Amino acid sequence: MDNGSMMTEERLMDEAKGVLHNAYSPYSGIKVGAALLTSSGNIHTGVNVENASYGLTICAERNVIPTAITQGMKKIKFLVVTGGTPEPISPCGACRQVISEFSDDETIIILANKDRKYNIWSVNDLLPYSFGPKHL
Ligand code: THU
C-alpha cells in the first residue's frame, strides 16, 4: 500500500473504532464497527444492531452500506471492519454478498480486531466465484 492508502487506513480504523461503543449487541456481546470511504471521497460509519428477535440482527457492514447508498455512494473504495474481538473480525456470508455488490477489483477491505491487528483483502478474496449483476 502507498502512503496515501496508509493514511486512509488509519483514518478509517479510527472511525470504525470510534463507533464501536455504539454497537447494540446485548445478546452476543460482540461489538462491531465499520467505516467506509466511497469512490467520491465520503466517509460513513455503522455498527451492528441486534434484536430480541435474534434473526433481525443487522451486521455493521449491512448497516453502513445502506447508509452510504442513501447518501449517494456508487462504489466502496475502502472498507474497514473492526470487531471488539481478540482476532480480526470475519464478515458473515450475507455481508460478503452485500459488500461485493458495491465493490470492484480496486476495493480494499481491512478486517481488524480491537487492538488494530488486521489483515487486508480484496472482494474476490472474501467471496470468490460470486453471484453478481453479470449473471442477470
Ligand atoms: N457481526 C457483524 O456485525 N459483522 C461481522 O463481520 C461479523 C458479525 C455481528 C452480528 C452480531 O451482532 C454479532 O456480530 C455476533 O454474530
Side-chain angles (χ1 to χ4, degrees):
M1 256 189 301
D2 62 25
N3 218 22
S5 293
M6 289 297 286
M7 284 171 59
T8 305
E9 173 199 318
E10 288 303 319
R11 168 81 199 278
L12 290 177
M13 200 95 79
D14 288 346
E15 295 277 350
K17 279 195 73 158
V19 293
L20 256 191
H21 68 281
N22 292 329
Y24 178 75
S25 52
Y27 308 109
S28 75
I30 294 175
K31 291 181 178 290
V32 184
L36 64 75
L37 174 71
T38 70
S39 46
S40 45
N42 298 315
I43 289 177
H44 302 280
T45 56
V47 295
N48 55 328
V49 180
E50 298 186 347
N51 193 280
S53 177
Y54 299 161
L56 298 182
T57 290
I58 305 169
C59 296
E61 299 90 322
R62 274 178 300 128
N63 201 358
V64 70
I65 290 172
T67 298
I69 290 290
T70 303
Q71 299 302 319
M73 180 180 78
K74 302 294 177 233
K75 279 280 172 228
I76 303 171
K77 191 164 181 198
F78 222 120
L79 171 67
V80 172
V81 189
T82 295
T85 46
E87 290 303 316
I89 196 79
S90 178
C92 73
C95 284
R96 290 173 194 228
Q97 180 71 25
V98 173
I99 291 166
S100 86
E101 184 77 21
F102 302 105
S103 298
D104 58 24
D105 293 346
E106 312 281 287
T107 302
I108 296 170
I109 301 161
I110 291 194
L111 304 175
N113 77 347
K114 58 182 175 17
D115 303 316
R116 292 174 190 258
K117 177 178 165 187
Y118 66 86
N119 38 54
I120 304 171
W121 306 87
S122 69
V123 66
N124 193 54
D125 293 330
L126 294 183
L127 195 67
Y129 192 56
S130 64
F131 180 78
K134 63 182 180 292
H135 297 108
L136 297 171

